[in-house]
Amino acid sequence: ESATAFGCLVSDMWLGEFDYVSPEAFHSVFEKRYPAFSRRTQHDAQEFLICVLDDLHEAFKEVRAQLCQGRYRSGAGASRGSGSGTSIVTQLFEGQLSYGITCLKCKTITDRPESFTVLSLPIPSTRVCSLQDCLECFFQPDTLTWNNQIHCYWCGTNQDATVQATITKAPQIIIFHLKRFAWQDKHRRKLSTTVCYPFSNLDLSPYSSTFSCNNAEYSLCAVVNHAGDLDYGHYTAFCKHSVTKHWYSFDDAQVTQIPDTAVQADTAYLLFY
């Protein structure tokens, strides 16, 4: 039901018959399935995005499974991937990381794969940094000690270890979440750091395994901005038209074309490449 409402919303947007399109109908259906996203409280765009993608994935996965079952009953043969949990959402947005865990005692390395649709990147500065700085911070090795030790199978005991993430499958569309809301001195606050991000030629090969480096360069296609603080705020979006290549600002009932220079904003919260 929410997938149908989302489809209608996208169709209305691309038909171009209105100056702007309200997502009222989609949100009304969506909040019935997910009451946590009611209209009475503030919500996090990243959490909402993940929930929407998960919901669409489940809807499209079910449709694909039903179609495959229909072909099987008709004698045409069932798809081998019908139970794999794939959908158009996973095909576009899902990537895979591999966490290489090295025991510091016996030096044994084990790999732990993990799928992702959004990469949450730390911001390593309070004033100015680049997206590459955020990526390097995310992918740098981390040492696990004390209560974070791993249980080493070969040593048979808990041991200190290092862990480092590597991209083993780069998605067609990669989404970065800039972790602007952070804890500092037992208080949660928003980081207003200026994060400079490239519009094109974002190279992920330094963070990828050798066999996933192909087509690892990305171009920016959308930005979600958050203006405000922890307890209040306002979301807007910048989106690049796939045909004209012009950038547009979406701010409630205002949709306006903007110059490329306006896309670099201090309020950037989600980046779509």
Side-chain angles (χ1 to χ4, degrees):
E1 189 177 1
S2 57
T4 301
F6 181 80
C8 292
L9 173 62
V10 174
S11 295
D12 288 342
M13 291 175 65
W14 279 101
L15 283 174
E17 297 178 354
F18 309 99
D19 292 334
Y20 64 90
V21 176
S22 171
E24 182 77 20
F26 167 69
H27 188 266
S28 178
V29 173
F30 190 80
E31 72 173 355
K32 290 178 181 178
R33 286 177 55 84
Y34 302 93
F37 292 103
S38 67
R39 309 172 199 191
R40 299 180 181 85
T41 56
Q42 295 283 324
H43 300 291
D44 184 86
Q46 182 242 358
E47 295 174 357
F48 179 73
L49 171 65
I50 291 175
C51 198
V52 169
L53 291 178
D54 286 346
D55 188 62
L56 294 176
H57 165 66
E58 290 300 321
F60 296 139
K61 183 182 69 172
E62 291 172 3
V63 170
R64 181 178 178 182
Q66 290 170 4
L67 291 174
C68 291
Q69 290 170 7
R71 287 200 299 269
Y72 181 77
R73 286 193 295 268
S74 66
S79 170
R80 185 179 179 185
S82 62
S84 63
T86 60
S87 70
I88 185 63
V89 174
T90 57
Q91 291 169 18
L92 291 176
F93 297 100
E94 186 175 272
Q96 191 168 64
L97 297 173
S98 178
Y99 287 92
I101 303 171
T102 304
C103 173
L104 292 182
K105 183 178 181 181
C106 69
K107 307 303 180 182
T108 299
I109 301 175
T110 56
D111 292 314
R112 180 169 62 86
E114 183 177 296
S115 298
F116 71 90
T117 51
V118 178
L119 279 186
S120 292
L121 304 180
I123 301 176
S125 172
T126 57
R127 299 187 63 185
V128 180
C129 70
S130 67
L131 180 61
Q132 291 287 6
D133 293 332
C134 298
L135 286 165
E136 288 177 10
C137 187
F138 180 89
F139 286 102
Q140 71 180 0
D142 192 17
T143 302
L144 306 177
T145 60
W146 298 95
N147 293 332
N148 293 320
Q149 286 182 325
I150 65 159
H151 182 80
C152 178
Y153 173 81
W154 299 102
C155 296
T157 57
N158 290 345
Q159 297 292 338
D160 290 350
T162 59
V163 58
Q164 184 172 20
T166 303
I167 299 175
T168 53
K169 176 192 172 187
Q172 291 188 46
I173 302 172
I174 190 164
I175 307 171
F176 297 117
H177 162 232
L178 302 178
K179 297 173 69 173
R180 292 197 176 276
F181 301 101
W183 289 94
Q184 186 177 53
D185 299 329
K186 298 182 180 180
H187 297 286
R188 196 164 182 258
R189 68 183 189 92
K190 181 183 177 182
L191 298 174
S192 56
T193 305
T194 297
V195 179
C196 301
Y197 39 89
F199 287 17
S200 60
N201 301 320
L202 174 64
D203 185 10
L204 294 183
S205 60
Y207 319 108
S208 305
S209 58
T210 53
F211 57 86
S212 65
C213 286
N214 294 332
N215 302 318
E217 290 192 352
Y218 291 82
S219 296
L220 186 69
C221 60
V223 180
V224 172
N225 303 291
H226 179 270
D229 216 320
L230 284 171
D231 300 322
Y232 68 94
H234 180 61
Y235 283 110
T236 60
F238 301 146
C239 300
K240 188 177 184 179
H241 197 288
S242 60
V243 178
T244 66
K245 307 303 180 183
H246 294 148
W247 281 94
Y248 291 84
S249 171
F250 293 78
D251 187 355
D252 292 347
Q254 300 292 323
V255 181
T256 54
Q257 185 175 336
I258 59 174
D260 292 1
T261 53
V263 179
Q264 176 69 61
D266 294 346
T267 51
Y269 185 53
L270 298 171
L271 302 172
F272 296 73
Y273 280 89

